[in-house]
Amino acid sequence: MFVTFNVDRIWKGPTQRRLILPLYATLDSVHFAKGQSYLVFADRHVVSPTIEGSMKVPTVTEAVFYVSQCSQTQPSEQARETLTKLGRGRKP
């Protein structure tokens, strides 16, 4: 299972309109609610049949990301100070 976001702003990394996170990678770090806005700090997930421990996602054609337990990912309303420091960002 996955969590999928429609991306509004990007500060670093590839420009894409959707962000896909495997649900198991978010269970211990962030609890997402449908319809809520989030500031997400994510890294690209390694997807490879030849790398041990990598995720195998045969049905997803888009890049998959993950959120570290130590990330500052949080609901946007709680991230106002961080959003101010980051600035406007760019549209995907």
Side-chain angles (χ1 to χ4, degrees):
M1 292 183 22
F2 297 89
V3 177
T4 303
F5 293 93
N6 293 320
V7 176
D8 182 56
R9 295 280 176 189
I10 298 170
W11 288 268
K12 184 178 178 183
T15 300
Q16 52 190 81
R17 295 184 182 277
R18 290 188 347 143
L19 174 67
I20 300 172
L21 302 173
L23 188 57
Y24 77 87
T26 67
L27 290 177
D28 294 332
S29 54
V30 179
H31 298 278
F32 297 111
K34 186 175 182 175
Q36 187 162 348
S37 176
Y38 292 87
L39 173 60
V40 178
F41 291 85
D43 293 305
R44 190 168 187 148
H45 201 300
V46 176
V47 181
S48 171
T50 60
I51 299 175
E52 187 177 330
S54 73
M55 189 174 78
K56 295 165 183 64
V57 188
T59 60
V60 176
T61 58
E62 298 174 68
V64 175
F65 290 77
Y66 72 95
V67 173
S68 165
Q69 290 181 349
C70 300
S71 86
Q72 295 180 36
T73 296
Q74 58 190 308
S76 295
E77 60 213 25
Q78 296 173 13
R80 294 188 194 281
E81 184 178 329
T82 304
L83 286 165
T84 299
K85 289 178 185 177
L86 288 171
R88 290 186 52 130
R90 67 185 191 276
K91 287 281 191 181

